[in-house]
Structure formats: C-alpha cells, structure tokens
Amino acid sequence: MNKFIPLLLVLVALFSISYAQRVGGVGEERPITPEVLKIVREVEPEARTRATFAQFVPISYASQVVAGVNYFVKVDAGNGQFVHLRIYKGFSDETQLVALKTGLTADDELTYFS
C-alpha cells in the first residue's frame, strides 16, 4: 500500500494541473485553427470599428473555459503592430467581442485581459 502513495500523489498533481488549465485558467498559445478562425471572422467587423488595421490576420489563440469559452486571439494588424482580441463564445452559441488590446508586438504573450 505504501508503495502506491507516491504514485497517487503524482497522479493527483498531474490531474490538478491539467484541470486548472481546462477550467478557469488560460491555456497555452496555439496556432489558429479553422474553428477559431470562424469565431474571429464573426467579430472582425466590430473589431475594425474599435481599431485601425492595415491587415487582419489571426495568428494564434489561447482559450479559457468559463460559463462558455473565452478566446484570446493574436492578430497581425500590419506594419509590425499586433492586437489581442478577447472573444466570448457562450454554450448557447452567442459570440461577443469583449475586449481589444492594441499597441502590441509579435512577442507579447496571450494572457487574460479585460
């Protein structure tokens, strides 16, 4: 029995880390997918009213499970400028541009912002 305690502790720690990333925490930055690109295109017209874009090229995203999903999306706005979008997609399929952060570079990490 005592042999299994260290293994059990490791499994609990791994589960806790994985669970935290899925529920509540912002996950890792990943290349844009067709599914996320479709969500971004839904809010692009509104984003263009909030900031000026020489181009609008979604590059990567991170997500956060809440009462729906927050998508944090890095967009190449052209001329070396990048913009981060925070998009909420509810479980009932409503999509909303919640926030937009300008004046960023390609090196700025996707993190939670309001």
Side-chain angles (χ1 to χ4, degrees), residues 2-3 6 10 15 17-18 23 26 32 34-35 37 42-43 62 65-66 75 83 85-86 89 91 104 107 109 112 114:
N2 287 339
K3 291 190 258 183
V10 168
F15 175 77
I17 292 168
S18 176
V23 179
V26 177
I32 205 79
E35 176 187 336
L37 182 59
E42 290 179 37
V43 300
V65 177
V66 289
V75 175
V83 172
L85 308 177
R86 183 171 138 217
K89 180 141 181 108
F91 292 128
L104 303 171
D107 295 331
E109 291 183 33
Y112 181 88
S114 50

Side-chain angles (χ1 to χ4, degrees), residues 4-17:
F4 296 108
I5 291 176
L7 176 61
L8 181 62
L9 291 174
V10 168
L11 290 174
V12 167
L14 288 174
F15 175 77
S16 297
I17 292 168

Side-chain angles (χ1 to χ4, degrees), residues 5 12 15 17 28-31 35 41 46 49 59-60 62 71 85 89 93 98 100 103:
I5 291 176
V12 167
F15 175 77
I17 292 168
E28 294 181 16
E29 189 170 337
R30 299 181 173 157
E35 176 187 336
R41 294 297 181 216
E46 183 179 352
T49 67
I59 302 295
S60 58
Y71 291 95
L85 308 177
K89 180 141 181 108
D93 262 357
V98 176
L100 183 142

Side-chain angles (χ1 to χ4, degrees), residues 20-65:
Q21 288 178 333
R22 284 184 277 146
V23 179
V26 177
E28 294 181 16
E29 189 170 337
R30 299 181 173 157
I32 205 79
T33 64
E35 176 187 336
V36 175
L37 182 59
K38 182 179 180 221
I39 293 167
V40 173
R41 294 297 181 216
E42 290 179 37
V43 300
E44 181 179 354
E46 183 179 352
R48 287 184 176 277
T49 67
R50 295 191 194 182
T52 303
F53 296 87
Q55 64 183 28
F56 191 96
V57 181
I59 302 295
S60 58
Y61 79 99
S63 60
Q64 174 190 37
V65 177

